[in-house]
Each structure stands twice: as structure tokens, then as C-alpha cells.
């Protein structure tokens, strides 16, 4: 038995599939691929799948990381990668299959690209102003169900803005991610849209990468 | 609407995966390269529709043909419906996202009467005139099939063509006729409908005039323009040769039943007198174990499902259950597929098979006595005795079970208070039994859950002549049952009796109910099978405004000579047989099942199935 790590892109119809449902989808993909996957024992055997960091419903991602176990230690990894790629539905694109380097707990940041549709009423000017403010106070529901106020200005890493004034603007930013501190970019963007008076939900979020505390790619 | 905008709108509602499509196994074609586009509509949510086997069979069958593209359409939940109306998004098919108005056929499957307002809502959301007579062009043709098509009259105003019985052949015959008609340059809807009505199993309601007497009872169905006097249902005579899908659309998101389903036979030998499915799918026709195992294996291979269940009205009645299971357990075990066999009676299994069965996850212990006393069980011809139940429970308790689920109906013909109290008594006996079984799980209590539904008389059953009890009486009997249960070890649940009441009216309704359904829909009725959406007052108002009384449809005894709104449809079982069974019911006389002795229901005319087995 050996632990392996699958890297893939998630988009298309898979954008509407929740983290919980992804487990089911990938279980089927592994089964269809016929790769010798290690299964749990019992009446309901299933592969042992874990995702490095959940992805919110509605987000696409260029860098999803999923761990599972191979039953056959010597199975050719390139071949396995291809078999899995062939079994994936439209919307999942396999990038690599490797042995894991780091534990999932090492994830400290995630990077995102945010594209605004016209309904969002976003302009480069207001975005710049909003993101450069000294304080960006939003309320966030805590795990215990309470609400607390946080200052996103303190959490926000470097950002860049693309596109011109009239075309969809692409905002690239870095936010804390993982078990320690996790900031959903929706918090930030919804706060911004609240100011512009644009229509909520009219922006797309793509998670572009997962990084360690040293800002190295998580692998 | 532009896809990226539409997709952002999906994200503004609950469960966006219901609307996005693109599942594995869903079929995409180039619309410019097909001749016929078919929008297969399930008038309920995605999660319910996608759990339905019949839809998947027809989806696969249609799409096997290069000239047809069949797509799926479901009723949007109320949150997305609101968005659709605000943003002017017409109801679209999941695959192409094209509005259903662009399709040649819009086909509904009618699984329960309470979905009728959803049919209207879906047509309206698609921008399609609701009434058949207001759709003047040839397309879209609105067609419908499924069990409720056995009394299609309440929807007669809205649907152009009903398919009676099993759809595999007749649907394609109508599609072929349509292709041919169009190729010849035909554009006249009525002309096409007249041609279609010549096909066996096709019922075109517009080709029949109905007359009523002063009371409102139907007196006659008068066929016009060469339409047949009676329309017969279609039956697949050889299930081994019938199409079975090799692949299915497999949802990404969670649905009600998410697993590979293998059909093993159609029909039921039992003849429980309340059960419509037990009569309209006659005669029993089985698939052979070899075909079942092969098709099931292929299905698991192509879908990636790790769970499979068998589908039929009563798995234990499959004549070759031993050879079937013994092979199935082998290969599913090897493939790590968990097999679920709900409510399978294993009393007569060989020791070898029982041994193999140990490898299968045990499902819950369930029984459907349906009635609380043997007298009433004889009336409804439910062949299960208290002794059977006690024996199975004792074995199960000794084997570690601590929970039993029992299904009952209230409001059955001839039911007395004694029968109601009998339900509580049976539950109590099972509780007592538990504490007397040696080897029961130590230190654990027992839970007997009793689920009660309301009896609804249905067409083509011996009880089609019966009155349905009033809501007040229903409530009194429910209270009586509640009062008769004295232990916390028994838990009780039921269905909303008002919903059953409406179901009863629609099930045996006539054409005039079209007006009531339309009125109720205009007043806001939809998703009527959902407790949170159902609004009885709306329906009562609709009946009032149409000057019709629900009691006329549900609360009176129908005489043997009365013309029922479905009497011109032929589902194999004869009215004489149903009357005879009704008489026997009243006398508490049971009827043997089809394997023991043919009761002469009439379904042997199809020339196949259990009627011709050696007894
Ligand atoms: S004809 Fe006889 S055997 Fe055949 S379905 Fe009817 S009762 Fe059963």
C-alpha cells in the first residue's frame, strides 16, 4: 500500500459540486479508472480519499489536491495518471499523480483569481480604493455559529488587478488558508459588491494555487 | 441567456447542481445533426426524477438512435423558479440548455397525481400554451406516459398524446411516424394526431367526446375521426430482449436513490386489492438470471457505481431468486459492489445461499402487513400472517436486530375500529416478543416504528368502486390509533390526510377536473406532494369556482354499470374481474396468486409471462 497524491483542475459542471459530493464523484472516477486502489474492509468497501483543502461551492480551481492509496506499490505512476485522466468527467483535468511531499497541514495560503461580470458593477478605480483601505471590517460566522468582526485588510496579501475599465476585471489575490486561519474570498468580494450596489453572485472565483507558509507551492 | 450569466444565477439558489447538467453518462449531441429532439420532463425535482428508473431506460433507448436527441428536464425548486421568472429564463433542458419550446416533443412521465400542477407550471415556464387546443402548430407536441396515464382524463385538456402501458416500443413508433410525417411536408397537428391514434397504445384525448348525465357521471366516450373505441396498453413481451441501458447519467450531487438499479421482472403475482401497480403491470414477466447478471455487471462497469439494488414489486417472488443471487453475490463481492436487497424474504433459502448472504449488508427489517387484523388482511388480499411476522422478527431479534418497521394503511374498505386497534396490538406483540427472545442484544431496547398512509382507491384495482373515507373520519381513526398505543417503544408516523384526499380525487377524476387543476395552478398550487408547498385551501377554492365537488369523485360508491372515465382504456384486467374481486373482498375471501392458480384476470391475452408457466 502506498499513499499517492492527485493534482487536478476542477471547473465546468464540477463547479456546482460541493466538497462533500466530490468525494462521491472521485470514488467513482477511481473505480472507473481500474487503477489498483486500496479499499477499506467491510460490507461497504471504499477507497480512502482525502482532499487537502475544501473548495467552496461555485469556485473553480486550477490546483486541487487529493490523496488516496494504491494497493500495488509498484504500479506505474504515469500509467495510473493516464488511467485516472481517462475516467474523469468533463470538468476535471488531471495534472499530475505524485507521491506526497508535505502534510496537508502545511497549507498556509491560497491564491485566487476573481473575474467580475458586468452585473457586479466593478471598476478598477473602486476596486483599488476598496482594497487599499486601512481597514476592511466584515462579519464572519464562526465555527460555533456565532458572528465575529474581522479586519480583512490585515489578512490580505499582495494583489494585482487586470483588465481595463470596461472589460471584466481580474483581481488576483492571496489569502490565508488551511486549518489555522482560513479566509473565504467571497467575504471580501461580497463586501465590495455591497459598496458598488452591483448584483451579488455575479463574479467568478478560481482558486489558482495552494501555498505553504514560506509561499512555496504545496506539493 | 449567456451561459456564464446563467451559471452565476444557479449559484444564487440552493443546490445549483440540480440545474447545471454535464453529469457523467449524460448525452450530448449536435442538434443540427438530429431529426427529432425530445425533452423528457419529470414533473418534480432533480433529486426525485433522477432516482427514477423508467426515465433512465427511455433516455438511453432514445439516445441510442443517432436521429434522436433526448434531454432531461426537471421542475425547478421554488427558489430557482423565482429567479427564472424574474430574469425571464425559459425552462430549459439540462444538456443543451435550450428552451423546451424548441423541442419536437415535450414528454412528461406521470408517476403520481400530485405532480399535475407541476406539469402545468413547467409548460408555462417553457412559454408553452397550456391547453392542447391553444397549441396550434405541429410542435412542440406534448405527450405523457407512466402509471397515472391509466386515468389520463384530468390532464386531457393539456396533453396531446398519452402513451398507455410500457413505453419502449410505442414511443419510438410515434417518433418515427412524426419523422415520416414531417419528411412528407406535413404541418397539421390534428392530422398528425389522427394518424398517431392508429398506433396501438396511443390515446389522443381530443379525438373523444364525453357525455355526462345530470349528476355529472360520465355516460359515454364517443370516438371521432376513426379513433379506436378502446385503447389498449402496450406490454413488452420478452424482457430478455428488451432494451436495458448500458450507461446512465450519474449525478454528481446527492439524490434520493443513488445507485445502479437492475430490473428483474415487471408485474406482480400477488394481487393485493389496493395496489394499482399490482394490476396495471400484469402479467408478470421475468428476465432470466443470466441476462440480469450480465446487464447488471455492464451497468456497474460503465457507471462506476459501488452500490446496486434490484428493482421489482416484490423481489422474493422472482422465480429463480437462488441462482440469481448466488451468482450476483459472487461478482459483486469481487468488484467491491455492495448489494442491497430490501425486504427480501429468506425463509426458504438453501444453507449455501444463506451462507453467502452473510456477505451482504443487512438492510432494515421491514414488513408491510397493511392492515391490523387478519380479517382485514383477507379483505385486501394481503398474504401475510401474524405468525409469519412473529417468526421473522424472532429470528431477526436473535440475530441482533433491535428495530422493526411496519407499514399500514388506514381507511381500507370495511375497516372497523377493531382493525385500527389491531395495528397497535400487533406493534405491542412485537415489542413483547423482543423481551422474550433469548439471545436478543443485551442491554438494548427495541423500536417498532409504524408508518401509516391513507388508503386511496385507484383505477384498475378492485377497489376502484369504493368510496374513500372523509377527512374527519380519517382524523378520528388516526386519533384512535394514537390513543391505542401505550408504549414509547412504538413510534408512529403518517402522511398528511388532506394530500391523500386530493390524490383520491385526481386519481379517479374525469375530464372536467382539467378546469380545477388549471384554476388551482393559477391560484398558486405547485409541488403539491411537498408538505411545505401543499395548500389545500387553494384546491378547495378551485373546486368551488369550477362548481365541482371533491366528494363526487372520492366519497361515493361507484356502481358496476357506471361508466368510469378510464373504462375505454384497456390495461388487460377486465372490469368483470375487478368486480368479482371486489365482491370477494367484501366477503373476506382471498384470491390465490398467479403462481398458485390463475384467477382469470384477462391479462393472459398478451400471450406471455406467468399466465403460461406450468403450475
Ligand atoms: S391471467 Fe391469470 S395468471 Fe395471468 S396475470 Fe391474470 S390472474 Fe395472473
Amino acid at each position: 500500500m502506498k499513499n499517492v497524491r492527485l493534482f487536478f483542475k476542477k471547473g465546468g459542471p464540477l463547479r456546482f459540486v460541493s466538497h462533500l459530493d466530490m468525494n462521491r464523484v472521485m470514488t467513482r472516477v477511481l473505480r472507473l479508472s481500474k487503477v489498483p486502489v486500496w479499499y477499506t474492509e467491510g460490507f461497504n468497501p471504499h477507497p480512502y480519499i482525502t482532499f487537502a483543502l475544501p473548495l467552496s461551492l461555485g469556485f473553480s480551481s486550477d490546483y486541487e489536491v487529493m490523496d488516496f492509496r494504491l494497493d500495488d506499490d509498484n504500479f506505474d505512476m504515469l500509467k495510473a495518471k493516464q488511467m485516472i485522466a481517462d475516467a474523469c468527467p468533463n470538468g476535471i483535468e488531471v495534472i499530475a499523480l505524485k507521491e506526497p511531499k508535505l502534510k496537508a497541514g502545511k497549507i498556509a495560503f491560497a491564491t485566487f483569481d476573481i473575474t467580475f461580470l458586468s452585473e457586479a458593477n466593478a471598476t478598477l478605480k473602486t476596486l483599488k480604493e476598496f482594497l487599499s483601505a486601512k481597514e476592511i471590517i466584515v462579519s464572519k460566522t464562526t465555527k460555533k455559529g456565532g458572528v465575529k468582526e474581522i479586519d480583512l485588510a490585515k489578512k490580505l496579501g499582495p494583489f494585482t488587478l487586470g483588465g481595463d475599465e470596461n472589460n471584466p476585471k481580474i483581481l488576483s489575490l492571496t489569502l490565508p488558508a488551511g486549518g489555522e486561519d482560513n479566509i473565504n474570498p467571497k467575504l471580501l468580494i461580497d463586501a465590495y459588491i455591497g459598496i458598488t450596489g452591483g448584483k451579488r453572485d455575479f463574479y467568478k472565483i478560481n482558486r489558482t494555487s495552494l501555498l505553504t507558509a514560506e509561499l512555496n507551492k504545496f506539493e | 441567456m449567456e451561459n456564464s450569466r446563467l451559471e452565476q444565477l444557479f449559484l444564487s439558489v440552493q443546490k445549483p447542481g440540480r440545474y447545471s447538467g454535464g453529469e457523467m453518462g449524460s448525452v450530448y449531441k449536435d442538434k443540427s445533426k438530429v431529426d427529432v429532439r425530445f425533452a423528457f420532463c419529470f414533473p418534480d425535482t432533480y433529486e426525485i426524477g433522477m432516482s427514477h428508473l423508467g426515465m433512465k431506460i427511455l433516455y438511453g433507448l432514445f439516445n441510442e438512435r443517432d436521429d434522436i436527441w433526448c434531454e432531461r428536464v426537471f421542475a425547478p425548486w421554488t427558489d430557482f423558479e423565482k429567479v427564472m421568472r424574474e430574469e425571464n429564463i425559459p425552462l430549459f433542458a439540462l444538456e443543451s440548455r435550450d428552451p423546451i419550446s424548441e423541442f419536437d416533443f415535450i414528454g412528461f412521465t406521470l408517476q403520481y397525481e400530485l405532480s399535475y400542477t407541476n406539469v402545468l407550471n413547467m409548460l408555462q415556464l417553457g412559454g408553452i400554451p397550456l391547453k392542447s387546443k391553444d397549441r396550434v402548430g405541429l410542435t412542440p407536441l406534448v405527450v405523457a406516459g407512466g402509471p397515472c396515464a391509466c386515468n389520463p382524463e384530468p390532464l386531457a385538456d393539456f396533453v396531446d398524446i398519452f402513451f398507455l402501458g410500457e413505453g419502449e416500443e410505442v414511443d419510438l413508433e410515434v417518433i418515427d411516424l412524426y419523422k415520416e410525417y414531417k419528411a412528407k411536408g406535413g404541418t397539421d397537428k390534428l392530422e398528425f394526431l389522427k394518424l398517431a391514434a392508429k398506433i396501438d397504445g396511443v390515446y389522443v384525448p381530443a379525438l373523444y367526446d364525453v357525455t355526462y348525465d345530470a349528476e355529472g357521471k360520465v355516460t359515454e366516450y364517443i370516438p371521432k375521426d376513426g379513433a379506436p373505441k378502446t385503447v389498449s396498453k402496450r406490454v413488452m413481451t420478452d424482457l430478455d430482449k428488451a432494451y436495458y441501458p448500458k450507461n446512465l447519467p450519474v449525478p454528481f450531487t446527492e439524490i434520493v436513490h443513488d445507485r445502479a438499479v437492475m430490473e428483474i421482472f415487471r408485474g406482480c403475482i400477488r394481487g393485493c386489492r389496493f395496489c394499482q401497480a399490482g394490476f396495471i403491470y400484469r402479467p408478470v414477466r421475468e428476465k432470466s438470471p443470466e441476462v440480469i447478471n450480465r446487464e447488471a455487471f455492464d451497468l456497474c462497469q460503465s457507471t462506476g457505481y459501488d452500490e446496486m439494488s434490484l428493482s421489482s414489486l416484490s423481489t422474493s417472488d422472482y422465480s429463480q431468486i437462488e441462482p440469481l443471487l448466488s451468482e450476483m453475490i459472487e461478482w459483486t463481492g469481487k468488484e467491491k459492489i455492495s448489494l442491497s436487497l430490501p425486504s427480501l424474504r429468506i425463509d426458504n433459502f438453501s444453507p449455501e445461499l444463506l451462507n453467502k448472504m452473510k456477505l451482504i449488508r443487512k438492510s432494515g427489517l421491514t414488513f408491510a402487513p397493511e392492515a391490523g387484523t387478519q380479517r382485514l388482511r383477507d379483505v385486501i388480499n394481503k398474504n401475510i400472517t401474524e405468525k409469519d411476522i412473529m417468526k421473522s422478527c424472532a429470528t431477526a431479534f436473535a440475530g441482533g436486530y433491535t428495530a422493526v418497521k411496519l407499514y399500514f394503511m388506514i381507511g381500507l374498505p370495511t375497516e372497523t375500529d377493531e382493525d385500527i386497534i389491531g395495528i397497535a396490538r400487533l406493534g405491542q406483540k412485537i415489542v413483547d416478543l423482543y423481551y422474550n427472545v433469548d439471545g436478543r442484544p443485551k442491554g438494548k431496547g427495541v423500536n417498532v416504528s409504524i408508518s401509516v398512509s391513507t388508503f386511496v382507491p385507484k383505477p384498475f384495482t378492485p377497489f376502484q368502486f369504493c368510496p374513500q373515507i372523509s377527512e374527519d373520519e380519517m382524523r378520528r381513526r388516526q386519533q384512535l390509533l394514537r390513543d391505542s398505543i401505550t408504549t414509547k417503544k412504538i413510534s408512529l408516523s403518517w402522511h398528511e390526510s388532506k394530500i391523500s384526499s386530493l390524490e383520491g380525487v385526481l386519481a379517479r377524476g374525469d375530464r372536467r377536473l382539467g378546469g380545477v387543476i388549471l384554476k388551482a395552478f393559477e391560484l398558486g398550487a405547485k409541488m403539491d406532494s411537498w408538505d411545505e408547498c401543499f395548500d389545500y385551501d387553494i384546491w378547495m377554492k378551485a373546486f368551488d369556482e369550477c362548481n365541482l365537488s371533491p366528494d363526487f369523485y372520492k366519497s361515493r360508491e361507484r356502481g358496476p354499470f357506471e361508466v368510469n372515465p378510464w373504462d375505454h382504456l384497456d390495461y388487460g384486467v377486465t372490469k368483470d374481474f375487478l368486480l368479482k374481486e371486489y365482491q370477494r373482498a367484501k366477503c373476506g375471501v382471498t384470491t390465490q396468486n398467479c403462481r398458485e392458480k390463475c384467477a382469470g384476470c384477462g391479462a393472459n391475452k398478451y400471450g406471455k409471462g406467468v399466465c403460461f408457466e406450468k403450475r
Side-chain angles (χ1 to χ4, degrees):
Chain A
M1 183 183 70
K2 111 173 164 186
N3 291 322
V4 291
R5 184 164 282 174
L6 184 75
F7 299 85
F8 61 93
K9 293 185 182 183
K10 180 185 173 199
L14 270 298
R15 207 151 72 84
F16 306 102
V17 177
S18 70
H19 175 63
L20 223 66
D21 289 331
M22 265 314 268
N23 210 311
R24 189 195 345 263
V25 172
M26 293 314 282
T27 301
R28 279 182 203 141
V29 164
L30 290 180
R31 174 178 279 280
L32 286 169
S33 75
K34 303 236 182 275
V35 166
V37 172
W38 182 85
Y39 281 83
T40 59
E41 304 283 324
F43 283 124
N44 181 18
H46 54 91
Y48 190 78
I49 293 179
T50 55
F51 293 89
L53 190 70
L55 185 72
S56 298
L57 187 69
F59 290 21
S60 57
S61 171
D62 291 342
Y63 199 71
E64 283 305 278
V65 180
M66 178 188 105
D67 292 355
F68 64 99
R69 293 167 182 172
L70 282 183
D71 208 15
D72 176 358
D73 288 10
N74 301 316
F75 198 81
D76 185 77
M77 294 282 275
L78 267 178
K79 190 172 161 202
K81 178 201 154 189
Q82 196 49 50
M83 286 163 79
I84 294 170
D86 291 344
C88 281
N90 256 336
I92 295 181
E93 195 187 316
V94 172
I95 307 165
L97 181 70
K98 295 187 212 168
E99 286 179 37
K101 279 197 190 144
L102 297 169
K103 288 214 167 89
K106 292 283 174 200
I107 296 173
F109 294 100
T111 58
F112 300 91
D113 276 354
I114 292 135
T115 312
F116 296 91
L117 304 192
S118 52
E119 283 85 347
N121 252 347
T123 63
L124 283 180
K125 185 168 166 284
T126 53
L127 265 170
K128 239 180 249 161
E129 275 168 20
F130 174 76
L131 293 166
S132 318
K134 282 219 176 59
E135 265 191 344
I136 310 173
I137 306 289
V138 297
S139 24
K140 182 187 173 183
T141 29
T142 61
K143 275 186 194 137
K144 282 183 189 127
V147 183
K148 70 170 184 199
E149 297 217 315
I150 49 170
D151 180 5
L152 290 180
K154 292 205 181 71
K155 309 277 184 184
L156 184 61
F159 63 89
T160 59
L161 273 165
D164 59 52
E165 205 47 50
N166 299 314
N167 283 314
K169 297 111 202 126
I170 297 175
L171 166 64
S172 305
L173 45 77
T174 307
L175 286 168
E180 291 280 302
D181 189 10
N182 198 59
I183 299 292
N184 189 327
K186 264 180 90 70
L187 272 180
L188 186 72
I189 307 307
D190 281 343
Y192 168 67
I193 303 260
I195 294 168
T196 64
K199 262 190 166 171
R200 276 197 65 222
D201 295 310
F202 277 83
Y203 53 85
K204 289 188 182 182
I205 300 182
N206 182 34
R207 189 159 78 188
T208 46
S209 188
L210 300 175
L211 306 173
T212 64
E214 299 78 31
L215 298 182
N216 294 321
K217 202 156 211 172
F218 171 78
E219 280 185 315
Chain B
M1 176 177 279
E2 199 190 316
N3 263 327
S4 62
R5 272 201 70 208
L6 185 63
E7 293 191 345
Q8 290 316 115
L9 289 172
F10 295 164
L11 288 173
S12 66
V13 298
Q14 297 281 306
K15 304 189 186 173
R18 289 167 162 176
Y19 311 107
S20 63
E23 307 95 319
M24 284 197 248
S26 52
V27 180
Y28 287 75
K29 296 188 182 183
D30 178 347
K31 64 179 167 189
S32 66
K33 296 211 171 82
V34 297
D35 298 321
V36 178
R37 297 187 70 188
F38 196 107
F40 199 121
C41 303
F42 195 103
D44 210 316
T45 62
Y46 177 85
E47 291 77 12
I48 293 185
M50 282 298 286
S51 303
H52 185 252
L53 178 63
M55 176 175 207
K56 292 176 182 168
I57 293 181
L58 293 174
Y59 182 79
L61 175 76
F62 291 1
N63 279 323
E64 258 208 339
R65 282 190 32 179
D66 290 334
D67 55 343
I68 308 172
W69 186 11
C70 175
E71 304 181 44
R72 295 160 299 149
V73 188
F74 300 96
W77 187 247
T78 49
D79 58 354
F80 192 56
E81 182 194 334
K82 191 160 163 274
V83 172
M84 289 170 77
R85 290 188 186 275
E86 282 165 7
E87 305 277 337
N88 280 320
I89 304 168
L91 185 66
F92 54 88
L94 286 196
E95 285 80 357
S96 64
R97 293 187 183 163
D98 287 334
I100 58 169
S101 54
E102 291 176 14
F103 285 68
D104 301 289
F105 287 90
I106 297 175
F108 288 94
T109 174
L110 306 172
Q111 297 295 319
Y112 27 86
E113 293 83 1
L114 294 165
S115 65
Y116 290 172
T117 48
N118 285 358
V119 171
L120 300 196
N121 199 25
M122 287 170 79
L123 288 175
Q124 193 189 62
L125 283 168
I128 293 160
L130 301 184
K131 289 196 170 168
S132 175
K133 67 172 170 49
D134 297 333
R135 295 187 298 268
V136 286
L138 176 60
T139 60
L141 284 157
V142 176
V143 301
C148 292
C150 77
N151 177 20
E153 291 304 284
L155 289 182
D157 292 349
F158 315 107
V159 174
D160 301 320
I161 293 178
F162 287 99
F163 298 123
L164 308 190
E166 292 161 10
E168 285 105 322
E169 291 171 342
V170 59
D171 293 14
L172 289 178
E173 287 164 22
V174 170
I175 289 174
D176 282 334
L177 177 74
Y178 168 78
K179 250 183 84 172
E180 209 180 288
Y181 182 73
K182 244 180 55 171
K184 278 198 230 138
T187 52
D188 185 72
K189 178 171 154 179
L190 188 62
E191 186 181 44
F192 175 75
L193 292 179
K194 284 183 206 164
L195 291 171
K198 297 200 186 334
I199 297 175
D200 228 10
V202 169
Y203 174 56
V204 177
L207 299 183
Y208 296 79
D209 282 331
V210 192
T211 55
Y212 303 89
D213 67 11
E215 270 180 275
K217 290 180 188 162
V218 172
T219 46
E220 204 183 356
Y221 271 79
I222 306 155
K224 299 186 287 194
D225 301 316
K229 188 136 185 63
T230 50
V231 185
S232 301
K233 74 161 176 178
R234 290 293 287 269
V235 165
M236 299 296 286
T237 46
D238 188 350
L239 289 190
D240 274 349
K241 295 212 180 77
Y243 170 84
Y244 206 74
K246 291 192 182 52
N247 200 359
L248 311 169
V250 178
F252 291 131
T253 53
E254 194 171 3
I255 61 167
V256 184
H257 300 296
D258 198 13
R259 54 188 170 227
V261 177
M262 190 61 218
E263 185 178 34
I264 60 173
F265 65 90
R266 292 185 186 170
C268 181
I269 59 169
R270 299 275 154 191
C272 300
R273 290 175 181 136
F274 56 85
C275 177
Q276 188 180 45
F279 291 95
I280 61 170
Y281 297 124
R282 285 184 176 212
V284 164
R285 289 141 295 144
E286 298 191 339
K287 277 188 181 215
S288 64
E290 301 77 48
V291 173
I292 295 171
N293 272 307
R294 190 183 67 231
E295 291 179 346
F297 182 82
D298 288 349
L299 196 59
C300 290
Q301 290 293 310
S302 61
T303 55
Y305 272 122
D306 55 7
E307 194 188 336
M308 191 180 70
S309 73
L310 301 180
S311 155
S312 71
L313 289 169
S314 163
T315 309
S316 303
D317 288 331
Y318 182 62
S319 65
Q320 302 187 65
I321 192 82
E322 287 231 21
L324 174 72
L325 287 183
S326 109
E327 199 182 323
M328 193 166 270
I329 291 170
E330 295 273 329
W331 69 259
T332 50
K334 261 188 223 126
E335 297 284 320
K336 301 191 170 61
I337 289 163
S338 68
L339 188 59
S340 60
L341 302 168
S343 61
L344 184 68
R345 269 177 299 174
I346 57 171
D347 331 349
N348 304 321
F349 282 5
S350 68
E352 288 126 86
L353 185 55
L354 281 177
N355 208 21
K356 281 189 189 173
M357 297 281 295
K358 287 196 186 124
L359 300 170
I360 300 182
R361 182 173 32 173
K362 287 178 226 152
S363 57
L365 192 58
T366 59
F367 299 95
E370 308 292 0
T373 61
Q374 193 58 47
R375 183 201 70 80
L376 191 53
R377 283 194 292 272
D378 286 346
V379 168
I380 61 176
N381 205 36
K382 181 81 205 189
N383 179 7
I384 182 172
T385 64
E386 196 171 304
K387 233 170 96 195
D388 296 339
I389 298 172
M390 289 302 168
K391 210 177 117 202
S392 303
C393 284
T395 322
F397 291 152
Y401 278 91
T402 59
V404 187
K405 193 160 179 142
L406 301 169
Y407 292 94
F408 291 97
M409 276 188 286
I410 286 193
L412 287 163
T414 78
E415 185 176 73
T416 63
D417 287 359
E418 189 57 27
D419 299 309
I420 307 274
I421 296 164
I423 296 175
R425 217 175 265 152
L426 182 58
Q428 186 63 49
K429 276 189 191 157
I430 296 174
V431 171
D432 297 343
L433 173 80
Y434 179 82
Y435 292 101
N436 287 316
V437 167
D438 294 328
R440 67 169 188 271
K442 286 280 156 288
K444 277 191 193 161
V446 65
N447 181 270
V448 176
S449 74
I450 292 181
S451 169
V452 186
S453 60
T454 309
F455 167 65
V456 178
K458 292 280 170 95
F460 293 107
T461 68
F463 292 155
Q464 67 174 12
F465 308 99
C466 284
Q468 184 174 352
I469 61 170
S470 71
E471 286 148 37
D472 286 343
E473 178 56 16
M474 192 66 226
R475 268 189 292 277
R476 189 191 68 80
R477 293 189 194 180
Q478 288 179 344
Q479 191 55 44
L480 175 63
L481 177 57
R482 220 178 273 136
D483 294 341
S484 311
I485 292 171
T486 49
T487 163
K488 286 222 164 60
K489 303 211 160 18
I490 300 178
S491 54
L492 196 58
S493 62
W494 28 55
H495 297 171
E496 170 66 58
S497 58
K498 285 176 174 167
I499 291 187
S500 309
S501 199
L502 177 62
E503 186 187 333
V505 174
L506 295 175
R508 292 189 292 170
D510 57 27
R511 227 168 243 215
R512 295 174 305 165
L513 284 191
V516 178
I517 297 171
L518 182 61
K519 186 92 241 151
F521 169 62
E522 285 166 356
L523 292 170
K526 63 188 163 207
M527 294 282 176
D528 293 307
S529 61
W530 295 78
D531 279 346
E532 63 262 53
C533 299
F534 181 67
D535 187 340
Y536 196 51
D537 296 341
I538 286 185
W539 279 95
M540 289 308 106
K541 206 164 157 221
F543 276 106
D544 257 10
E545 288 192 23
C546 297
N547 269 325
L548 289 171
S549 141
D551 286 331
F552 172 80
Y553 293 100
K554 71 175 173 65
S555 306
R556 65 187 174 85
E557 175 93 17
R558 295 173 186 232
F561 302 110
E562 177 172 345
V563 178
N564 290 308
W566 56 90
D567 279 356
H568 59 305
L569 309 181
D570 175 358
Y571 270 69
V573 290
T574 61
K575 192 169 179 181
D576 281 348
F577 170 75
L578 296 176
L579 271 168
K580 201 173 87 194
E581 276 294 292
Y582 186 35
Q583 288 313 324
R584 290 171 75 100
K586 285 190 191 160
C587 305
V589 179
T590 59
T591 298
Q592 283 175 300
N593 74 47
C594 293
R595 283 231 164 80
E596 290 163 344
K597 185 169 178 273
C598 171
C601 77
N604 57 349
K605 71 173 181 185
Y606 301 108
K608 272 276 153 44
V610 66
C611 324
F612 301 90
E613 279 177 17
K614 284 209 181 66
R615 293 184 181 83

